[in-house]
Amino acid sequence: MSVRLSPRPLSISRAGAALDAPGAGGVALFAGRVRPDRTPTGTVVALDYEVDRSIAMRVLGELEREAVRRFHARAVVVWHRVGRVPVGEVAVIVGAACGHRSEAFDATRFLIEEVKRTVPIWKSERGRRGRRRRRSPLRPAGRSAD
Amino acid sequence: MGRGVVRAAMPPAVTVRLFATAREAVGRATLSWELPPEGASVAELVRALGDAHPPLARILRVSRLVRNGHYVEELSERLRPRDELAVHPPYGGG
């Protein structure tokens, strides 16, 4: 089991290794990367991620346990970058090793949707020339990393 | 909350931590709010924050609040000196 908030690059291969659970017949992994979206303030060159770390780590742990309970996951990965993440780099990795593929896919989908909905992480877009842009303050921030 | 029930001032106070759009609306990451002797509810503090920082008011309406590490379930909860209240605008990870 593994939850992580890291300012350093996330490795898909290491996440895959963390999902190497004995007896798991299905392993699914999702990685979200930062896209060079075009916005009114220019092309996105990076996303800045902000986090309320203590609450976020607790919620990530709860998501991990829920994936085990609901989908009988034998291994779970929920990793998220914090700080500045340049275009092309991985901002989030979630995955699950389960008995069968359907559970693994369902668990992975559950994890990424719940990360976006329930974990106190916020992002703002950074364009060329250092301009920052946050989408409507009344709605969750944009979807540049999925 | 009645006017002046919660005032920006000196300890003992509640520390308010602001994130993302809430921080940007105020221009600071933390605020300190003195509680009156009779205390105040979370709702009263939220109203006072919105009155003191109008750009923050509409963000508060859609934010989740975290008191001492736990999500606030009832705005009628009473605050105590040295409590910490975090303002969480809608999340946007991933």
Side-chain angles (χ1 to χ4, degrees):
Chain A
M1 302 298 168
S2 178
V3 299
R4 181 179 298 177
L5 293 169
S6 175
R8 292 182 291 279
L10 302 178
S11 163
I12 293 174
S13 61
R14 288 186 181 177
L19 292 172
D20 185 17
V27 178
L29 183 150
F30 170 84
R33 300 169 65 204
V34 177
R35 292 193 310 262
D37 281 357
R38 292 188 175 185
T39 75
T41 55
T43 302
V44 171
V45 297
L47 293 178
D48 289 331
Y49 286 93
E50 175 182 353
V51 61
D52 188 340
R53 176 174 282 276
S54 61
I55 305 296
M57 286 301 291
R58 194 178 74 214
V59 175
L60 289 173
E62 291 168 359
L63 292 181
E64 179 184 62
R65 288 189 291 276
E66 183 65 11
V68 171
R69 188 191 69 80
R70 192 184 294 196
F71 305 101
H72 310 292
R74 303 174 191 211
V76 174
V77 163
V78 193
W79 294 355
H80 206 299
R81 278 284 292 275
V82 295
R84 182 158 303 165
V85 185
V87 159
E89 292 195 9
V90 174
V92 59
I93 301 175
V94 299
C98 300
H100 303 277
R101 68 181 183 280
S102 62
E103 293 169 320
F105 280 129
D106 289 348
T108 301
R109 181 75 187 220
F110 164 80
L111 288 167
I112 188 60
E113 298 299 340
E114 290 300 294
V115 163
K116 295 169 87 65
R117 192 178 71 83
T118 67
V119 182
I121 297 174
W122 302 269
K123 66 186 165 208
S124 59
E125 299 167 342
R126 180 166 288 272
R128 299 188 199 284
R129 298 184 296 278
R131 294 186 65 181
R132 293 183 66 213
R133 175 178 179 267
R134 201 185 290 277
R135 295 183 186 173
S136 168
L138 302 184
R139 289 181 290 123
R143 299 168 54 82
S144 295
D146 64 354
Chain B
M1 175 199 65
R3 292 188 192 286
V5 170
V6 178
R7 298 171 295 274
M10 304 163 61
V14 172
T15 299
V16 181
R17 297 171 64 218
L18 303 166
F19 291 90
T21 50
R23 184 191 65 253
E24 292 162 1
V26 174
R28 297 176 58 180
T30 62
L31 295 170
S32 183
W33 288 88
E34 184 188 6
L35 289 171
E38 68 273 24
S41 67
V42 173
E44 288 168 338
L45 175 56
V46 166
R47 202 171 309 139
L49 287 171
D51 289 345
H53 304 279
L56 182 61
R58 67 177 190 143
I59 296 169
L60 284 164
R61 285 198 289 273
V62 296
S63 294
R64 300 183 74 179
L65 302 172
V66 180
R67 179 187 174 210
N68 300 336
H70 300 279
Y71 285 104
V72 171
E73 302 289 343
E74 298 288 342
L75 292 175
S76 59
E77 287 180 24
R78 304 298 290 178
L79 293 162
R80 298 186 181 126
R82 291 177 290 283
D83 274 1
E84 180 182 279
L85 190 76
V87 177
H88 284 186
Y91 303 148

